[in-house]
């Protein structure tokens, strides 16, 4: 198969390619990425020179460039990771989210429709549980849960999900959608909670906790997510949605405490000094209280389940960041420093 991966230089896309390019020399993988601030080609060093891997720098919003890549590579399968992905950035600057997540997805759907005869090809759209809005203290998101997004990010992802399903119903485009919970693991840009905390802990900087830290997220180890997508591509049904979760609900404050303990164990730093870095800062507007996923469909129909517990996945993640200081330095660009100043300077 010829598999085109959008956003393959970002966190989840790079983990997907690092996992699958070496494992499947019989498939050719094309990584299409605009290389925004969130991208890092250094994350792909292990696959960059493989014969079954090609990189194309293209912005999804440049339709003629996108069509040219489709005409050249003629993908059989498209895996759509590319997006603006950070909720806080969508609050300070929503325009880029509408542009990439809505217009970019629209362009991708049109490029697929142009290339593939009716009923042929496959677009796998990677989405988020945030489209469902916030849960109270109990309950789980199911595939049929009503969409109720709270942030510009989740509203733009909800829009893209609707576009993908509409292209299936109206034009017969073969699509599959997965909505997953919060990912964590190697190669994640340190604007998201877990890598931000790890880097701040290593440098003994304050640990910003929004509000009281009582918001709950369901954490999914990134390789478990990538395996779920691969299973859906190979064994899922067209037009079907699959929820993917980690069975690992955690309050934010407990994530912070677990990371303090792990870094203390792994680096020899005194735990009390690390816990003393916690700072409660003003809450995110529209902050969803709780996300939790019911993954029973993908477990029952496709036999997938997460391999990592939160404890085992978090330890792997901490060890990866400790062992990859050069990667950390490479993402410490001017943009990263500017974001930290803009987002946390006034909190
Ligand atoms: P990321 O921000 O780390 O990477 C996004 C990638 O997309 C970057 O490499 C960037 O250069 C590329 N990109 C952005 N705009 C583009 C454009 N216009 N054209 C081409 N490429 C563009 O994101 P991630 O965390 O790897 O998330 C990947 C996907 O998974 C996203 O669709 C996101 O909504 C979804 N998702 C992420 C999480 C999570 O916890 N990270 C959870 C659920 C769903
Ligand atoms: P984040 O990693 O931004 O993912 P999402 O908003 O998509 O769930 O945030 C995870 C949780 O951590 C969320 O409840 C917000 C909270 N948070 C903090 O408390 N402090 C921070 O500095 C960040 C980035 C997030």
């Amino acid at each position: 198969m010829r598999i085109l991966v959008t956003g393959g230089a970002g966190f989840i896309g790079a983990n997907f390619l690092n996992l699958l390019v070496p494992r499947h020399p019989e498939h050719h993988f094309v990584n299409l990425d605009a290389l925004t601030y969130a991208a890092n080609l250094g994350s792909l060093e292990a696959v960059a020179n493989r014969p079954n891997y090609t990189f194309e720098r293209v912005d999804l919003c440049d339709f003629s460039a996108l069509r040219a890549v489709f005409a050249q590579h003629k993908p059989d399968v498209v895996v759509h990771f590319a997006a603006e992905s950070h909720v806080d950035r969508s609050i300070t600057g929503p325009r880029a989210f509408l542009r990439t997540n809505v217009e970019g997805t629209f362009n991708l759907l049109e490029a697929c429709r142009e290339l593939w005869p009716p009923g042929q090809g496959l677009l796998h759209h990677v989405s988020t549980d945030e489209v469902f809005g916030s849960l109270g203290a109990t309950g789980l998101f199911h595939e049929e849960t009503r969409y109720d997004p709270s942030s510009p990010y989740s509203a733009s992802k909800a829009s893209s999900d609707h576009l993908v399903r509409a292209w299936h119903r109206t034009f017969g485009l073969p699509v599959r959608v997965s909505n997953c919970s919060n990912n964590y693991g190697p190669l994640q840009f340190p604007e998201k909670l877990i890598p931000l905390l790890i880097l701040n802990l290593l440098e003994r900087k304050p640990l910003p906790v929004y509000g009281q830290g009582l918001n709950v997220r369901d954490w999914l180890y990134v390789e478990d997510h990538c395996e779920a997508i691969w299973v859906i591509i190979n064994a899922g049904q067209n037009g079907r949605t699959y929820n993917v979760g980690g069975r690992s609900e955690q309050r934010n404050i407990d994530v912070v405490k677990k990371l303090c303990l792990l870094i203390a164990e792994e680096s020899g730093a005194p735990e009390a000094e690390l816990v003393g870095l916690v700072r409660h800062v003003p809450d995110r507007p529209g902050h969803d209280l709780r996300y939790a996923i019911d993954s029973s469909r993908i477990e029952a129909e496709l036999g997938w389940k997460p391999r990592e517990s939160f404890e085992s996945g978090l330890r792997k993640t901490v060890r990866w960041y400790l062992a990859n200081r050069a990667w950390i330095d490479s993402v410490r660009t001017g943009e990263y420093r500017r974001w930290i100043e803009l987002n946390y300077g006034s909190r």
Side-chain angles (χ1 to χ4, degrees):
M1 285 191 298
R2 300 183 66 81
I3 303 170
L4 186 142
V5 175
T6 75
F11 161 53
I12 307 176
N15 274 285
F16 183 82
L17 289 165
N18 285 329
L19 198 64
L20 293 166
V21 170
R23 193 196 286 175
H24 290 286
E26 75 280 18
H27 300 320
H28 192 91
F29 294 83
V30 178
N31 174 9
L32 182 154
D33 199 298
L35 298 184
T36 70
Y37 79 92
N40 187 347
L41 287 178
S43 301
L44 291 157
E45 273 168 8
V47 298
N49 295 319
R50 295 229 170 208
N52 63 330
Y53 172 82
T54 308
F55 175 70
E56 298 280 3
R57 183 176 190 180
V58 170
D59 186 331
L60 286 175
C61 296
D62 181 347
F63 188 53
S64 58
L66 185 61
R67 289 172 91 192
V69 169
F70 267 66
Q72 185 189 345
H73 294 285
K74 297 191 173 42
D76 307 295
V77 174
V78 172
V79 192
H80 183 28
F81 290 103
E84 289 291 337
S85 69
H86 190 39
V87 173
D88 293 324
R89 282 182 193 263
S90 80
I91 296 168
T92 55
R95 188 170 298 278
F97 288 71
L98 274 291
R99 185 181 175 276
T100 286
N101 300 359
V102 182
E103 187 191 340
T105 301
F106 163 67
N107 281 344
L108 191 65
L109 287 162
E110 286 294 84
C112 290
R113 194 158 75 92
E114 202 172 78
L115 178 71
W116 296 328
Q120 287 190 29
L122 174 63
L123 171 69
H124 182 96
H125 177 60
V126 180
S127 192
T128 167
D129 60 357
E130 304 194 22
V131 297
F132 300 123
S134 187
L135 288 167
T138 58
L140 298 171
F141 295 133
H142 304 273
E143 283 83 359
E144 292 75 24
T145 301
R146 190 172 67 91
Y147 274 35
D148 188 20
S150 303
S151 70
Y153 163 67
S154 52
S156 68
K157 290 296 289 188
S159 308
S160 68
D161 295 10
H162 291 319
L163 289 172
V164 168
R165 288 196 191 96
W167 260 242
H168 176 66
R169 289 187 200 161
T170 303
F171 303 115
L173 194 77
V175 305
R176 296 172 197 171
V177 178
S178 51
N179 295 83
C180 75
S181 56
N182 287 60
N183 283 220
Y184 68 103
L187 304 172
Q188 189 167 27
F189 191 76
E191 63 189 355
K192 305 277 177 13
L193 180 68
I194 287 180
L196 178 89
L197 292 173
I198 294 174
L199 265 61
N200 285 11
L201 279 162
L202 294 178
E203 296 180 13
R204 306 290 191 273
K205 287 183 177 163
L207 308 175
V209 175
Y210 297 170
Q212 293 309 301
L214 301 179
N215 301 67
V216 173
R217 297 292 181 263
D218 167 17
W219 293 96
L220 174 64
Y221 189 67
V222 63
E223 283 194 6
D224 281 328
H225 181 202
C226 294
E227 296 285 6
I229 293 169
W230 191 240
V231 166
I232 296 167
I233 289 170
N234 284 287
Q237 282 178 32
N238 289 345
R240 204 148 171 79
T241 290
Y242 299 88
N243 277 359
V244 184
R247 294 184 178 178
S248 298
E249 279 186 56
Q250 304 283 332
R251 297 185 313 174
N252 291 338
I253 192 68
D254 297 326
V255 173
V256 178
K257 287 182 185 157
K258 283 179 186 181
L259 273 173
C260 290
L261 176 62
L262 270 174
I263 301 256
E265 283 176 9
E266 296 286 333
S267 73
E271 188 188 347
E273 184 195 334
L274 301 182
V275 174
L277 295 169
V278 170
R279 299 284 180 279
H280 291 277
V281 299
D283 211 346
R284 168 190 285 171
H287 195 174
D288 288 332
L289 176 68
R290 178 172 163 261
Y291 302 144
I293 284 238
D294 176 1
S295 304
S296 50
R297 173 178 289 174
I298 186 172
E299 294 186 15
E301 293 182 10
L302 306 181
W304 172 91
K305 61 177 186 330
R307 290 207 181 104
E308 301 293 343
S309 66
F310 189 61
E311 280 64 30
S312 67
L314 201 61
R315 190 175 292 274
K316 273 189 173 180
T317 304
V318 165
R319 287 187 176 162
W320 186 87
Y321 280 90
L322 285 172
N324 287 276
R325 302 290 182 122
W327 185 91
I328 293 176
D329 291 341
S330 78
V331 299
R332 287 191 175 290
T333 60
E335 165 58 19
Y336 168 76
R337 282 195 297 276
R338 198 190 67 78
W339 169 250
I340 295 295
E341 182 53 37
L342 180 73
N343 193 44
Y344 298 99
S346 58
R347 290 200 205 220

